[in-house]
Amino acid sequence: MKYKMKDFAAKHALTLGKHCVYGVFRGYHIHVKYTPIGNPRCLVTVVTDAREKQKQLEKYLDSNRQKLHISNFGVVKIGLMVCPRFTGEVFVRVETLLEEICAHLKKAGFAGAEVCPYCGQSLEGGGILATESDIPFRVHEKCFMGALASARQKDAQNAAKPDKKALGALGGTLGALFGGVLFVLTYAWWGFGALGAAAGVLLAYFLFRKFGGKASAFAVAYCGAAALLLSLAGYVFGLYMDAHAAGGGWSELFSAALADGGGRALFIVNLVLTAVFAGVGTVYNACSYRKDRRTIADKMRRLDG
């Protein structure tokens, strides 16, 4: 029988949420988010007061990557996050990973669920249940309100930063241009270049933000349109190369492509899939934008009281 998230939750008296499970595991607040098509697919969080031991914890995780079977990790003041590599059933791997990490934390003297991760002091009276980065754990009310105020201040500072749309558009154009070049190359090799549109739209959005543009509806739309147009331009150039190789020029641009049934079918497939891949990439960017719109403070909530 497959060991599912609900079985893992039932075994350890954890709470099931949307695509996640959380609660106290081996004395520590933990949170496991799993979505088969997510990026990352799985993120395991263990809450602890790590303020004075962040470097120590980073060293442990880095030196034990292979043993723990993790692809990536992060350490912050209130705990650690790891991305497991999967071999076999997901929650068998998650369970083993948590057993090993929590055992190390206990041995190394890291505080558990009985301590507020913000201040390191005992949670007399149980504290309040709250979230940071959508991870539920118990804290002192005063500590949580202080952290929330600090998060709101950071959010205000980020919102006040200028949106460098012109530079962002330059980055987006360069990303889309890469997609167009990739279209030409793959079309020259295989007669099919539509994957260039997917690469172009994703890289365009990435570079749009890297060049200083803010994640926005404009960024999503601009990158999608630029990638589609430059991929189609790449296709036109590929058709010209075919016509030139056949001894023709711009006037015979579509002659080679439409010369027979197979050529017409491939022509249609390239056009349709270029539009589809550009659309799928744009939808992915739109989902990323929606996710990015949630600020630090948006992911902090008091769950009781």
Side-chain angles (χ1 to χ4, degrees):
M1 181 181 294
K2 192 170 183 180
Y3 190 48
K4 298 181 179 179
M5 182 188 289
K6 64 180 181 180
D7 303 317
F8 173 69
K11 179 178 178 180
H12 299 286
L14 302 172
T15 302
L16 280 170
K18 185 177 181 181
H19 305 302
C20 70
V21 59
Y22 60 91
V24 177
F25 180 97
R26 300 293 184 259
Y28 293 89
H29 282 293
I30 64 101
H31 180 273
V32 181
K33 184 175 182 180
Y34 177 70
T35 48
I37 59 173
N39 183 27
R41 288 172 60 199
C42 184
L43 183 64
V44 177
T45 304
V46 182
V47 178
T48 184
D49 175 18
R51 290 172 300 160
E52 306 299 325
K53 301 179 180 180
Q54 282 182 252
K55 295 295 183 183
Q56 176 186 332
L57 200 46
E58 288 172 357
K59 184 177 179 180
Y60 161 73
L61 293 171
D62 190 43
S63 61
N64 287 275
R65 281 177 182 267
Q66 297 302 318
K67 178 184 176 183
L68 296 172
H69 298 285
I70 56 176
S71 59
N72 206 353
F73 69 86
V75 178
V76 294
K77 292 180 180 180
I78 60 170
L80 63 93
M81 295 140 286
V82 296
C83 300
R85 294 198 306 266
F86 294 116
T87 52
E89 293 191 22
V90 172
F91 281 89
V92 171
R93 174 88 287 276
V94 167
E95 186 174 56
T96 302
L97 175 63
L98 282 170
E99 292 280 7
E100 292 174 351
I101 289 177
C102 290
H104 170 79
L105 292 177
K106 190 165 293 186
K107 183 178 179 180
F110 284 84
E114 74 285 352
V115 166
C116 174
Y118 287 123
C119 68
Q121 300 300 310
S122 175
L123 281 171
E124 295 179 5
I128 64 168
L129 185 63
T131 68
E132 180 168 326
S133 297
D134 294 329
I135 312 299
F137 52 91
R138 289 202 167 272
V139 295
H140 290 129
E141 182 176 13
K142 182 179 179 180
C143 292
F144 174 73
M145 296 308 295
L148 180 58
S150 177
R152 285 173 175 163
Q153 183 178 10
K154 288 180 181 178
D155 289 343
Q157 291 171 348
N158 289 334
K161 290 180 180 178
D163 184 5
K164 301 176 182 177
K165 281 187 177 180
L167 283 174
L170 174 61
T173 301
L174 291 175
L177 181 61
F178 172 83
V181 172
L182 184 61
F183 194 114
V184 172
L185 293 175
T186 52
Y187 179 78
W189 292 331
W190 305 311
F192 177 76
L195 287 173
V201 71
L202 296 176
L203 183 59
Y205 189 65
F206 173 77
L207 291 180
F208 189 101
R209 291 175 296 164
K210 279 294 182 181
F211 275 54
K214 288 187 176 182
S216 63
F218 170 79
V220 172
Y222 180 86
C223 293
L228 179 60
L229 289 174
L230 287 175
S231 292
L232 291 175
Y235 192 20
V236 169
F237 183 74
L239 292 173
Y240 172 74
M241 289 193 301
D242 289 343
H244 183 71
W250 288 107
S251 60
E252 291 82 28
L253 191 64
F254 299 103
S255 299
L258 304 176
D260 54 48
R264 286 192 292 273
L266 187 59
F267 176 77
I268 293 171
V269 166
N270 268 305
L271 279 181
V272 171
L273 289 186
T274 295
V276 168
F277 287 153
V280 170
T282 301
V283 169
Y284 181 86
N285 289 340
C287 292
S288 296
Y289 162 56
R290 284 189 62 190
K291 184 178 179 182
D292 291 342
R293 287 181 66 186
R294 294 193 67 210
T295 65
I296 301 170
D298 287 338
K299 298 177 183 178
M300 297 181 69
R301 292 178 297 136
R302 179 170 177 165
L303 300 180
D304 63 1

